[in-house]
Each structure stands twice: as C-alpha cells, then as structure tokens.
Amino acid sequence: MSGFRINRDEFLAALGTIAPAQKKTLLPILSCALVRSTDGGLSVTASDLDLTITKRFGTEAPLLPVAAAVLLTDLLAVMAELPAGMIEVDFTVGGKMTLRSGRARLSLQTMSADEFPIDRPLVFATIPIPWGTIAHALERVLWAAATNDTTQPLFNGISWRAASGALYLAATNRYQLASATLAVPTGAIGDANIVIPARAIGIALKTFSPLDDVFLGVDAEGTHLGFRSASATVTARLTDGLFPNYEQLFPVDAKETAVLDVAEFAAITRR
C-alpha cells in the first residue's frame, strides 16, 4: 500500500487545473488523471494526446511511491463530496484508490500508470520568461484566432516567430488580424517559426500566474512545445505548416500617419 495526506481543496484545485486537457475519447486511459509521486511531492496529469497538463504540489505527510491512473470525472465527483480539510489517500495492489476524511471513506478503481501516454521529453531553456510579460502579448492576439477553421487549421492557432531576441505573435480568423511584438531575454527563447493551437495558449493563460517564471521547451522532433513553471507544465502538439506572411498586409512606407487616443477611438467604434 502507498499513499499520502493532502488538503482536499488543494487537491481539488489541481484536478480542476488539468481537467481542460480532456476531450471525449474512445480510449479509457485518456479519461483518467495520472497521479504520481515526485521528488518534491505529488503530480497529477491529464492528456488528450494533443494537449497535456501537469500540476505539481507538496503533501503534508511523507509520500510513498505512487503511480496510478483514475477516471478524472469520478475523482472530481468523489473529492467534491468529501468534507474540507485534510484527506488520506491510499493505493492498494488490487487497483483501488481509497480516500478518507473523518468518517467518510470512498474508493475508486484505478488503471495501470503504464497505460498512460508517455510524457514527451522536452528540452527546456535555462533562462525563464516572466509570464506576466508574455501573457499580456498573448492576450492581445488570442482573440483574433479562429475557433474551428476546418479548411485552414493554421488559423486555429497563434503564429509564434522568435528571432534575434524578439518574439512576434499573430492570429487571424480571416476577417480580423492581431499581432504583437515583445523583447525576450537572451537564451529564453530559441529561434522558431511555429504555430501553437489557440486552445493550448488559452489554457496556459489560465494555468500560470502573472508572477510565475516560465521556461519554454521543445522536443527533439520539433513537434511539441512546453511551458513549465515551478508548479505546472502545459505541453501542446504544434500545428503543421507555416503561418501566412501577414506582415505584407502592413504598408512599409506611409505618406500620412495619425496618432489616436486608444480609449477615445475604441469608444467611437462602439457607437
């Protein structure tokens, strides 16, 4: 038997963080949360193969080795029924996960952790990026991304082009275009020209705090990108192809220029 003690609300919040990685699937293992012990405590992971979210946190009691998969919807439902406070969680050899809090005792069937999709090995940069800085730029372009463009999947993503210490972001739904440029610390982002699914960016914006230092990583094949902080990791499968050259839409030389007050201009367009 192996297990741990943890605050119910903290565990429930972690499960809520990884839940967006799940979609309807015919593979039972992808409906599960992977619960694992780590050097610093515990981690929970959910994945639909295109997107993987891991949340890490500490435990109050010494943690014995844990590695099991359990249906996430069932675990969320059971956790919501338990009273607030510390709960004891045990895993038995017979494939049961037992949760106890006071007089309440609930059990769930588990699956082998070996069946869960293997983590993509990512190589992360050694220099972090203040998430508050990059999040602001991502929010400025995310709204313009398409949500379900079946003929051109590239438009369901964010163009991410990094070169010479600058990051260029853009998104379009064919009718609107948004772009942003920001300077990044040297060594924090390698040169790249990729498209990240807008869904993954939206989840990353909800997962990380503006105060987090986030490291960027890619796999050896260049097909997956990861964002990692001290407490969470979001990994996404990149969209194949190159984003159209949107910069050609912007005039290089303009005979006339105008400077507008943003708030006033926005108010006029709403009328």
Side-chain angles (χ1 to χ4, degrees):
M1 178 180 293
S2 58
F4 55 90
R5 294 182 68 242
I6 192 169
N7 182 278
R8 188 211 70 156
D9 291 343
E10 184 179 3
F11 197 15
L12 195 56
L15 296 175
T17 297
I18 68 172
Q22 286 199 330
K23 293 189 297 188
K24 291 184 178 179
T25 176
L26 298 177
L27 298 175
I29 193 64
L30 294 182
S31 298
C32 291
L34 178 64
V35 183
R36 289 185 296 186
S37 54
T38 65
D39 293 338
L42 191 76
S43 73
V44 288
T45 301
S47 176
D48 64 3
L49 299 182
D50 290 326
L51 179 71
T52 301
I53 307 175
T54 297
K55 182 67 175 177
R56 295 175 289 275
F57 46 90
T59 57
E60 183 177 280
L63 185 68
L64 298 174
V66 171
V70 60
L71 285 174
L72 180 54
T73 53
D74 290 353
L75 183 54
L76 282 167
V78 166
M79 291 290 297
E81 292 297 322
L82 293 174
M86 299 303 296
I87 61 173
E88 296 181 4
V89 184
D90 292 317
F91 294 86
T92 62
V93 177
K96 291 284 187 179
M97 177 183 185
T98 303
L99 301 97
R100 295 191 299 272
S101 178
R103 295 183 178 181
R105 179 187 175 97
L106 300 168
S107 294
L108 294 171
Q109 187 67 40
T110 64
M111 299 176 66
S112 172
D114 295 336
E115 298 182 36
F116 202 83
I118 299 175
D119 292 343
R120 300 291 305 189
L122 302 178
V123 179
F124 285 92
T126 57
I127 299 175
I129 298 176
W131 185 250
T133 300
I134 194 171
H136 179 65
L138 289 169
E139 289 170 344
R140 286 170 56 192
V141 302
L142 181 61
W143 65 271
T147 55
N148 189 27
D149 194 322
T150 57
T151 60
Q152 185 57 278
L154 285 170
F155 293 152
N156 297 323
I158 305 295
S159 171
W160 174 290
R161 184 168 61 87
S164 303
L167 178 61
Y168 306 90
L169 304 169
T172 183
N173 57 11
R174 298 176 186 262
Y175 304 100
Q176 300 163 310
L177 171 68
S179 65
T181 304
L182 70 156
V184 293
T186 302
I189 298 179
D191 290 353
N193 189 6
I194 57 179
V195 178
I196 307 173
R199 172 180 172 237
I201 294 296
I203 289 175
L205 288 171
K206 295 178 181 178
T207 301
F208 301 110
S209 161
L211 300 179
D212 283 339
D213 284 333
V214 173
F215 297 84
L216 271 64
V218 295
D219 65 352
E221 293 79 18
T223 59
H224 289 73
L225 176 81
F227 301 96
R228 187 190 71 191
S229 70
S231 61
T233 301
V234 175
T235 303
R237 185 195 301 271
L238 301 175
T239 304
D240 293 333
L242 294 176
F243 206 77
N245 181 16
Y246 60 90
E247 291 181 335
Q248 64 185 351
L249 299 175
F250 304 143
V252 178
D253 297 317
K255 295 181 179 179
E256 304 291 340
T257 60
V259 180
L260 303 176
D261 179 271
V262 175
E264 183 179 348
F265 183 65
I268 293 173
T269 60
R270 295 191 187 102
R271 294 174 184 171

Short mmCIF file of all heavy atoms in Angstrom, two decimals, residues 201-256:
data_model
loop_
_atom_site.label_atom_id
_atom_site.label_comp_id
_atom_site.label_asym_id
_atom_site.label_seq_id
_atom_site.Cartn_x
_atom_site.Cartn_y
_atom_site.Cartn_z
N ILE A 201 -2.87 27.87 -25.88
CA ILE A 201 -2.49 29.18 -25.35
C ILE A 201 -3.52 29.64 -24.32
O ILE A 201 -3.18 30.16 -23.25
CB ILE A 201 -2.38 30.21 -26.48
CG1 ILE A 201 -1.21 29.85 -27.40
CG2 ILE A 201 -2.21 31.61 -25.92
CD1 ILE A 201 0.15 29.91 -26.73
N GLY A 202 -4.80 29.46 -24.63
CA GLY A 202 -5.85 29.86 -23.69
C GLY A 202 -5.73 29.13 -22.36
O GLY A 202 -5.91 29.73 -21.29
N ILE A 203 -5.43 27.84 -22.40
CA ILE A 203 -5.29 27.06 -21.17
C ILE A 203 -4.03 27.49 -20.41
O ILE A 203 -4.04 27.58 -19.18
CB ILE A 203 -5.26 25.56 -21.49
CG1 ILE A 203 -6.66 25.11 -21.93
CG2 ILE A 203 -4.78 24.74 -20.30
CD1 ILE A 203 -6.75 23.69 -22.39
N ALA A 204 -2.94 27.75 -21.13
CA ALA A 204 -1.71 28.21 -20.47
C ALA A 204 -1.95 29.54 -19.75
O ALA A 204 -1.45 29.76 -18.64
CB ALA A 204 -0.59 28.35 -21.49
N LEU A 205 -2.74 30.42 -20.35
CA LEU A 205 -3.03 31.71 -19.72
C LEU A 205 -3.80 31.53 -18.42
O LEU A 205 -3.66 32.32 -17.48
CB LEU A 205 -3.83 32.59 -20.68
CG LEU A 205 -3.04 33.15 -21.88
CD1 LEU A 205 -3.98 33.81 -22.87
CD2 LEU A 205 -1.98 34.14 -21.41
N LYS A 206 -4.63 30.49 -18.34
CA LYS A 206 -5.39 30.22 -17.12
C LYS A 206 -4.56 29.45 -16.09
O LYS A 206 -4.82 29.52 -14.89
CB LYS A 206 -6.65 29.43 -17.46
CG LYS A 206 -7.65 30.17 -18.32
CD LYS A 206 -8.84 29.30 -18.65
CE LYS A 206 -9.83 30.04 -19.54
NZ LYS A 206 -10.99 29.17 -19.91
N THR A 207 -3.57 28.69 -16.56
CA THR A 207 -2.81 27.82 -15.68
C THR A 207 -1.74 28.57 -14.89
O THR A 207 -1.53 28.32 -13.70
CB THR A 207 -2.15 26.68 -16.48
OG1 THR A 207 -3.17 25.93 -17.15
CG2 THR A 207 -1.35 25.75 -15.58
N PHE A 208 -1.06 29.50 -15.55
CA PHE A 208 0.06 30.18 -14.92
C PHE A 208 -0.35 31.55 -14.37
O PHE A 208 -1.23 32.22 -14.90
CB PHE A 208 1.21 30.36 -15.92
CG PHE A 208 1.72 29.07 -16.48
CD1 PHE A 208 1.50 28.74 -17.82
CD2 PHE A 208 2.39 28.16 -15.68
CE1 PHE A 208 1.96 27.54 -18.34
CE2 PHE A 208 2.85 26.96 -16.19
CZ PHE A 208 2.64 26.65 -17.52
N SER A 209 0.34 31.94 -13.31
CA SER A 209 0.12 33.24 -12.69
C SER A 209 1.03 34.28 -13.35
O SER A 209 2.13 33.95 -13.79
CB SER A 209 0.43 33.15 -11.19
OG SER A 209 0.65 34.44 -10.64
N PRO A 210 0.58 35.53 -13.42
CA PRO A 210 1.45 36.58 -13.97
C PRO A 210 2.78 36.70 -13.24
O PRO A 210 3.75 37.22 -13.80
CB PRO A 210 0.61 37.85 -13.80
CG PRO A 210 -0.80 37.37 -13.78
CD PRO A 210 -0.76 36.05 -13.08
N LEU A 211 2.84 36.22 -12.00
CA LEU A 211 4.08 36.31 -11.22
C LEU A 211 5.01 35.12 -11.46
O LEU A 211 6.13 35.11 -10.96
CB LEU A 211 3.74 36.41 -9.73
CG LEU A 211 2.88 37.62 -9.31
CD1 LEU A 211 2.61 37.56 -7.82
CD2 LEU A 211 3.58 38.92 -9.69
N ASP A 212 4.55 34.12 -12.21
CA ASP A 212 5.36 32.92 -12.45
C ASP A 212 6.53 33.22 -13.38
O ASP A 212 6.42 34.03 -14.31
CB ASP A 212 4.52 31.80 -13.07
CG ASP A 212 3.63 31.11 -12.06
OD1 ASP A 212 3.92 31.19 -10.86
OD2 ASP A 212 2.65 30.47 -12.49
N ASP A 213 7.65 32.54 -13.13
CA ASP A 213 8.73 32.48 -14.10
C ASP A 213 8.53 31.19 -14.89
O ASP A 213 8.47 30.10 -14.32
CB ASP A 213 10.09 32.45 -13.40
CG ASP A 213 10.50 33.81 -12.88
OD1 ASP A 213 10.06 34.82 -13.46
OD2 ASP A 213 11.25 33.88 -11.89
N VAL A 214 8.40 31.31 -16.21
CA VAL A 214 8.06 30.17 -17.05
C VAL A 214 9.21 29.87 -18.00
O VAL A 214 9.77 30.76 -18.64
CB VAL A 214 6.77 30.45 -17.84
CG1 VAL A 214 6.49 29.34 -18.84
CG2 VAL A 214 5.58 30.59 -16.88
N PHE A 215 9.54 28.57 -18.08
CA PHE A 215 10.58 28.10 -19.00
C PHE A 215 9.92 27.49 -20.23
O PHE A 215 8.90 26.80 -20.12
CB PHE A 215 11.47 27.05 -18.33
CG PHE A 215 12.24 27.56 -17.15
CD1 PHE A 215 11.65 27.62 -15.89
CD2 PHE A 215 13.56 27.98 -17.30
CE1 PHE A 215 12.37 28.10 -14.79
CE2 PHE A 215 14.28 28.46 -16.21
CZ PHE A 215 13.68 28.51 -14.96
N LEU A 216 10.50 27.72 -21.40
CA LEU A 216 9.98 27.16 -22.64
C LEU A 216 10.83 25.96 -23.05
O LEU A 216 12.06 25.99 -22.90
CB LEU A 216 10.00 28.20 -23.76
CG LEU A 216 8.74 29.07 -23.90
CD1 LEU A 216 8.57 29.93 -22.66
CD2 LEU A 216 8.80 29.93 -25.14
N GLY A 217 10.18 24.93 -23.58
CA GLY A 217 10.90 23.75 -24.02
C GLY A 217 10.30 23.16 -25.29
O GLY A 217 9.11 23.36 -25.58
N VAL A 218 11.11 22.46 -26.06
CA VAL A 218 10.66 21.78 -27.27
C VAL A 218 11.19 20.35 -27.26
O VAL A 218 12.18 20.06 -26.59
CB VAL A 218 11.12 22.51 -28.56
CG1 VAL A 218 10.49 23.88 -28.67
CG2 VAL A 218 12.65 22.62 -28.57
N ASP A 219 10.52 19.47 -28.02
CA ASP A 219 11.03 18.11 -28.12
C ASP A 219 12.02 18.01 -29.27
O ASP A 219 12.21 18.95 -30.06
CB ASP A 219 9.87 17.11 -28.28
CG ASP A 219 9.11 17.31 -29.59
OD1 ASP A 219 9.38 18.30 -30.30
OD2 ASP A 219 8.26 16.47 -29.91
N ALA A 220 12.66 16.86 -29.38
CA ALA A 220 13.72 16.68 -30.38
C ALA A 220 13.19 16.79 -31.81
O ALA A 220 13.89 17.24 -32.72
CB ALA A 220 14.40 15.33 -30.17
N GLU A 221 11.94 16.38 -32.03
CA GLU A 221 11.36 16.41 -33.37
C GLU A 221 10.82 17.78 -33.75
O GLU A 221 10.46 18.02 -34.90
CB GLU A 221 10.24 15.37 -33.50
CG GLU A 221 10.69 13.92 -33.41
CD GLU A 221 10.94 13.49 -31.97
OE1 GLU A 221 10.45 14.18 -31.05
OE2 GLU A 221 11.64 12.48 -31.78
N GLY A 222 10.71 18.67 -32.77
CA GLY A 222 10.16 19.99 -33.04
C GLY A 222 8.66 19.97 -33.27
O GLY A 222 8.11 20.86 -33.93
N THR A 223 7.96 18.98 -32.71
CA THR A 223 6.52 18.85 -32.90
C THR A 223 5.71 19.26 -31.68
O THR A 223 4.49 19.39 -31.75
CB THR A 223 6.15 17.40 -33.26
OG1 THR A 223 6.58 16.53 -32.20
CG2 THR A 223 6.82 16.98 -34.56
N HIS A 224 6.38 19.45 -30.54
CA HIS A 224 5.69 19.81 -29.30
C HIS A 224 6.42 20.95 -28.61
O HIS A 224 7.66 21.01 -28.62
CB HIS A 224 5.60 18.62 -28.35
CG HIS A 224 4.65 17.55 -28.80
ND1 HIS A 224 4.94 16.72 -29.85
CD2 HIS A 224 3.42 17.19 -28.33
CE1 HIS A 224 3.92 15.88 -30.02
NE2 HIS A 224 2.99 16.15 -29.12
N LEU A 225 5.65 21.84 -28.00
CA LEU A 225 6.18 22.95 -27.23
C LEU A 225 5.62 22.87 -25.82
O LEU A 225 4.45 22.52 -25.63
CB LEU A 225 5.78 24.29 -27.86
CG LEU A 225 6.21 25.55 -27.10
CD1 LEU A 225 7.68 25.87 -27.41
CD2 LEU A 225 5.33 26.74 -27.47
N GLY A 226 6.45 23.18 -24.83
CA GLY A 226 6.00 23.14 -23.45
C GLY A 226 6.29 24.43 -22.70
O GLY A 226 7.29 25.10 -22.96
N PHE A 227 5.38 24.78 -21.80
CA PHE A 227 5.56 25.88 -20.86
C PHE A 227 5.65 25.25 -19.47
O PHE A 227 4.78 24.46 -19.09
CB PHE A 227 4.39 26.86 -20.89
CG PHE A 227 4.13 27.49 -22.23
CD1 PHE A 227 3.17 26.96 -23.09
CD2 PHE A 227 4.83 28.61 -22.63
CE1 PHE A 227 2.92 27.55 -24.32
CE2 PHE A 227 4.59 29.21 -23.86
CZ PHE A 227 3.63 28.67 -24.71
N ARG A 228 6.67 25.60 -18.70
CA ARG A 228 6.83 24.98 -17.39
C ARG A 228 7.16 26.03 -16.33
O ARG A 228 8.06 26.85 -16.50
CB ARG A 228 7.96 23.95 -17.42
CG ARG A 228 8.10 23.14 -16.13
CD ARG A 228 9.37 22.33 -16.13
NE ARG A 228 10.55 23.18 -15.98
CZ ARG A 228 11.80 22.79 -16.14
NH1 ARG A 228 12.05 21.55 -16.51
NH2 ARG A 228 12.81 23.64 -15.97
N SER A 229 6.40 25.98 -15.23
CA SER A 229 6.71 26.79 -14.06
C SER A 229 7.06 25.84 -12.92
O SER A 229 7.13 24.62 -13.11
CB SER A 229 5.50 27.66 -13.67
OG SER A 229 4.45 26.85 -13.15
N ALA A 230 7.25 26.38 -11.73
CA ALA A 230 7.59 25.53 -10.60
C ALA A 230 6.45 24.58 -10.25
O ALA A 230 6.68 23.50 -9.71
CB ALA A 230 7.95 26.39 -9.39
N SER A 231 5.21 24.96 -10.57
CA SER A 231 4.07 24.16 -10.13
C SER A 231 3.25 23.53 -11.26
O SER A 231 2.35 22.74 -10.99
CB SER A 231 3.12 25.03 -9.28
OG SER A 231 2.62 26.11 -10.05
N ALA A 232 3.54 23.85 -12.51
CA ALA A 232 2.71 23.31 -13.59
C ALA A 232 3.49 23.23 -14.90
O ALA A 232 4.47 23.95 -15.10
CB ALA A 232 1.46 24.17 -13.78
N THR A 233 3.02 22.35 -15.78
CA THR A 233 3.57 22.23 -17.13
C THR A 233 2.41 22.06 -18.11
O THR A 233 1.50 21.27 -17.86
CB THR A 233 4.52 21.02 -17.27
OG1 THR A 233 5.59 21.16 -16.34
CG2 THR A 233 5.08 20.93 -18.68
N VAL A 234 2.45 22.81 -19.20
CA VAL A 234 1.47 22.67 -20.28
C VAL A 234 2.24 22.35 -21.56
O VAL A 234 3.12 23.12 -21.97
CB VAL A 234 0.64 23.96 -20.48
CG1 VAL A 234 -0.29 23.82 -21.68
CG2 VAL A 234 -0.16 24.27 -19.22
N THR A 235 1.92 21.20 -22.17
CA THR A 235 2.60 20.77 -23.39
C THR A 235 1.59 20.64 -24.51
O THR A 235 0.52 20.05 -24.31
CB THR A 235 3.30 19.42 -23.18
OG1 THR A 235 4.21 19.52 -22.08
CG2 THR A 235 4.08 19.02 -24.43
N ALA A 236 1.91 21.17 -25.69
CA ALA A 236 0.96 21.16 -26.80
C ALA A 236 1.63 20.63 -28.06
O ALA A 236 2.81 20.90 -28.33
CB ALA A 236 0.42 22.56 -27.06
N ARG A 237 0.85 19.88 -28.83
CA ARG A 237 1.30 19.46 -30.15
C ARG A 237 1.15 20.65 -31.09
O ARG A 237 0.08 21.27 -31.17
CB ARG A 237 0.46 18.29 -30.66
CG ARG A 237 0.94 17.72 -32.01
CD ARG A 237 -0.12 16.84 -32.64
NE ARG A 237 -0.47 15.73 -31.78
CZ ARG A 237 0.15 14.55 -31.78
NH1 ARG A 237 1.17 14.36 -32.60
NH2 ARG A 237 -0.25 13.58 -30.97
N LEU A 238 2.20 20.99 -31.82
CA LEU A 238 2.16 22.13 -32.71
C LEU A 238 1.38 21.82 -33.98
O LEU A 238 1.27 20.67 -34.40
CB LEU A 238 3.59 22.55 -33.07
CG LEU A 238 4.48 22.94 -31.89
CD1 LEU A 238 5.89 23.22 -32.36
CD2 LEU A 238 3.92 24.15 -31.15
N THR A 239 0.83 22.87 -34.58
CA THR A 239 0.10 22.72 -35.84
C THR A 239 1.09 22.68 -36.99
O THR A 239 2.02 23.49 -37.06
CB THR A 239 -0.87 23.91 -36.04
OG1 THR A 239 -1.74 23.99 -34.90
CG2 THR A 239 -1.71 23.72 -37.29
N ASP A 240 0.91 21.73 -37.89
CA ASP A 240 1.81 21.60 -39.03
C ASP A 240 1.63 22.77 -39.99
O ASP A 240 0.51 23.26 -40.21
CB ASP A 240 1.54 20.29 -39.79
CG ASP A 240 1.89 19.06 -38.97
OD1 ASP A 240 2.77 19.17 -38.10
OD2 ASP A 240 1.30 17.99 -39.20
N GLY A 241 2.74 23.21 -40.58
CA GLY A 241 2.69 24.25 -41.59
C GLY A 241 3.23 25.58 -41.10
O GLY A 241 3.52 25.76 -39.92
N LEU A 242 3.35 26.51 -42.04
CA LEU A 242 3.85 27.85 -41.74
C LEU A 242 2.71 28.85 -41.85
O LEU A 242 1.90 28.80 -42.78
CB LEU A 242 4.98 28.24 -42.69
CG LEU A 242 6.28 27.43 -42.58
CD1 LEU A 242 7.26 27.86 -43.65
CD2 LEU A 242 6.89 27.61 -41.20
N PHE A 243 2.66 29.78 -40.93
CA PHE A 243 1.63 30.81 -40.92
C PHE A 243 1.85 31.74 -42.12
O PHE A 243 2.99 32.04 -42.49
CB PHE A 243 1.72 31.61 -39.63
CG PHE A 243 0.44 32.25 -39.20
CD1 PHE A 243 -0.55 31.50 -38.61
CD2 PHE A 243 0.23 33.61 -39.38
CE1 PHE A 243 -1.74 32.08 -38.20
CE2 PHE A 243 -0.95 34.20 -38.98
CZ PHE A 243 -1.95 33.44 -38.38
N PRO A 244 0.77 32.20 -42.77
CA PRO A 244 0.92 33.12 -43.91
C PRO A 244 1.69 34.38 -43.50
O PRO A 244 1.66 34.80 -42.34
CB PRO A 244 -0.53 33.44 -44.29
CG PRO A 244 -1.33 32.30 -43.76
CD PRO A 244 -0.64 31.85 -42.52
N ASN A 245 2.35 34.97 -44.47
CA ASN A 245 3.13 36.18 -44.22
C ASN A 245 2.18 37.37 -44.07
O ASN A 245 1.89 38.09 -45.04
CB ASN A 245 4.12 36.42 -45.36
CG ASN A 245 4.96 37.66 -45.12
OD1 ASN A 245 5.03 38.17 -44.00
ND2 ASN A 245 5.60 38.15 -46.17
N TYR A 246 1.71 37.58 -42.87
CA TYR A 246 0.74 38.65 -42.61
C TYR A 246 1.38 40.03 -42.68
O TYR A 246 0.69 41.04 -42.89
CB TYR A 246 0.11 38.45 -41.23
CG TYR A 246 1.10 38.48 -40.09
CD1 TYR A 246 1.42 39.68 -39.45
CD2 TYR A 246 1.74 37.33 -39.67
CE1 TYR A 246 2.33 39.72 -38.42
CE2 TYR A 246 2.67 37.37 -38.62
CZ TYR A 246 2.95 38.55 -38.01
OH TYR A 246 3.87 38.60 -36.99
N GLU A 247 2.70 40.10 -42.53
CA GLU A 247 3.36 41.41 -42.49
C GLU A 247 3.26 42.15 -43.83
O GLU A 247 3.39 43.37 -43.87
CB GLU A 247 4.82 41.25 -42.09
CG GLU A 247 4.98 40.80 -40.63
CD GLU A 247 6.43 40.65 -40.23
OE1 GLU A 247 7.26 40.43 -41.15
OE2 GLU A 247 6.74 40.76 -39.03
N GLN A 248 3.03 41.40 -44.91
CA GLN A 248 2.91 42.05 -46.21
C GLN A 248 1.61 42.88 -46.32
O GLN A 248 1.46 43.68 -47.24
CB GLN A 248 2.95 41.02 -47.33
CG GLN A 248 1.78 40.04 -47.32
CD GLN A 248 1.93 38.96 -48.38
OE1 GLN A 248 2.82 39.03 -49.23
NE2 GLN A 248 1.06 37.97 -48.36
N LEU A 249 0.71 42.68 -45.36
CA LEU A 249 -0.52 43.47 -45.35
C LEU A 249 -0.29 44.87 -44.80
O LEU A 249 -1.11 45.76 -45.01
CB LEU A 249 -1.59 42.77 -44.50
CG LEU A 249 -2.02 41.38 -44.94
CD1 LEU A 249 -3.00 40.79 -43.93
CD2 LEU A 249 -2.67 41.43 -46.32
N PHE A 250 0.82 45.05 -44.09
CA PHE A 250 1.11 46.34 -43.49
C PHE A 250 1.98 47.17 -44.44
O PHE A 250 3.01 46.69 -44.91
CB PHE A 250 1.85 46.17 -42.16
CG PHE A 250 1.11 45.30 -41.17
CD1 PHE A 250 1.80 44.44 -40.34
CD2 PHE A 250 -0.27 45.34 -41.08
CE1 PHE A 250 1.14 43.64 -39.43
CE2 PHE A 250 -0.95 44.55 -40.18
CZ PHE A 250 -0.25 43.69 -39.36
N PRO A 251 1.59 48.39 -44.74
CA PRO A 251 2.40 49.21 -45.65
C PRO A 251 3.77 49.53 -45.04
O PRO A 251 3.88 49.84 -43.86
CB PRO A 251 1.56 50.48 -45.81
CG PRO A 251 0.69 50.52 -44.58
CD PRO A 251 0.40 49.09 -44.24
N VAL A 252 4.79 49.42 -45.88
CA VAL A 252 6.15 49.72 -45.42
C VAL A 252 6.36 51.23 -45.34
O VAL A 252 6.90 51.75 -44.37
CB VAL A 252 7.19 49.08 -46.36
CG1 VAL A 252 8.60 49.45 -45.91
CG2 VAL A 252 7.01 47.57 -46.41
N ASP A 253 5.92 51.92 -46.36
CA ASP A 253 6.05 53.38 -46.40
C ASP A 253 4.65 54.00 -46.42
O ASP A 253 3.83 53.68 -47.30
CB ASP A 253 6.83 53.83 -47.63
CG ASP A 253 8.26 53.29 -47.62
OD1 ASP A 253 8.87 53.33 -46.53
OD2 ASP A 253 8.73 52.81 -48.66
N ALA A 254 4.39 54.84 -45.48
CA ALA A 254 3.09 55.53 -45.44
C ALA A 254 3.31 57.03 -45.58
O ALA A 254 4.15 57.61 -44.91
CB ALA A 254 2.38 55.23 -44.12
N LYS A 255 2.54 57.63 -46.48
CA LYS A 255 2.68 59.06 -46.69
C LYS A 255 2.12 59.86 -45.52
O LYS A 255 2.61 60.94 -45.20
CB LYS A 255 1.96 59.46 -47.99
CG LYS A 255 2.58 58.86 -49.24
CD LYS A 255 1.84 59.31 -50.48
CE LYS A 255 2.47 58.72 -51.74
NZ LYS A 255 1.75 59.14 -52.97
N GLU A 256 1.07 59.31 -44.91
CA GLU A 256 0.44 60.01 -43.80
C GLU A 256 0.37 59.08 -42.59
O GLU A 256 0.17 57.88 -42.72
CB GLU A 256 -0.98 60.47 -44.17
CG GLU A 256 -1.05 61.33 -45.42
CD GLU A 256 -0.43 62.70 -45.21
OE1 GLU A 256 -0.29 63.10 -44.04
OE2 GLU A 256 -0.12 63.36 -46.22
#
